[in-house]
């Protein structure tokens, strides 16, 4: 259970750190997953309550356990997004993205930004940090590479 909980925590942390820029939307699925997860956290609990209440008020009481099961499914949908984000944040970057990560990191250091030491084998979480700093401190030319 602790591994699942840690993955959800990593996913929530990664969701907060990832820069939600339209330039990244075509390159990474994170923008879509984060948007869907945030929407799910807003809409799924009321929808789950509505599902159970409609069955309770207007339906057959024998079908109430099925509507409760559907409500539980609806409530867990946003958690699946957090789980995916948590797993993704721990994945190693492919070689091409790792090279881009190092180039961005060197560009930021050259401009005088104080960053944590570069990761030898970077993960997506380190890429999120470097991208956030790059969007804050560099012009948009770094996305052309």
């Amino acid at each position: 259970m602790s591994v699942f909980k840690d993955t959800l925590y990593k996913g929530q942390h990664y969701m907060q750190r990832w820069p939600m820029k339209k330039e990244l939307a075509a390159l990474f699925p994170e923008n879509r997953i984060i948007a869907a997860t945030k929407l799910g956290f807003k809409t799924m609990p009321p929808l789950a309550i509505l599902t159970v209440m409609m069955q309770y008020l207007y339906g057959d009481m024998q079908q109430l356990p099925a509507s409760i099961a559907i409500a539980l499914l609806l409530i867990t949908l946003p958690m699946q997004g957090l789980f995916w984000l948590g797993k993704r944040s721990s994945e190693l970057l492919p070689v091409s993205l790792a090279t881009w990560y190092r180039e961005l990191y060197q560009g930021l250091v050259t401009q005088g930004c104080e960053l944590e030491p570069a990761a030898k084998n970077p993960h997506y979480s380190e890429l999120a940090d470097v991208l956030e700093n790059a969007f804050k401190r560099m012009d948009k030319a770094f996305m052309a590479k």
Side-chain angles (χ1 to χ4, degrees), residues 11-90:
Q12 185 175 14
H13 191 64
Y14 184 59
M15 183 169 66
Q16 294 167 350
R17 291 168 41 195
W18 184 260
M20 292 294 287
K21 303 292 184 183
K22 63 181 176 182
E23 295 89 353
L24 298 175
L27 300 173
F28 300 100
E30 275 82 351
N31 288 34
R32 293 182 300 275
I33 301 296
I34 290 171
T37 302
K38 286 181 179 180
L39 179 66
F41 275 119
K42 289 179 185 176
T43 59
M44 290 303 157
L47 191 60
I49 291 170
L50 183 67
T51 300
V52 173
M53 291 306 297
M54 293 298 286
Q55 185 66 40
Y56 179 75
L57 293 174
Y58 301 112
D60 183 12
M61 293 307 273
Q62 292 176 348
Q63 299 299 321
L64 189 61
S67 67
I68 291 173
I70 291 170
L72 289 174
L73 172 71
L74 292 174
I75 288 174
T76 62
L77 285 176
M79 304 281 273
Q80 293 176 26
L82 282 183
F83 187 78
W84 186 90
L85 289 167
K87 293 297 252 184
R88 176 75 166 201
S89 72
S90 301

Side-chain angles (χ1 to χ4, degrees), residues 8 26 73-74 76 95 101 106 110 115 123 125 132 135 137:
L8 291 178
L73 172 71
L74 292 174
T76 62
V95 176
Y101 163 82
Q106 287 302 325
T110 303
L115 301 171
H123 296 85
S125 58
E132 184 66 31
F135 274 108
R137 297 187 172 100

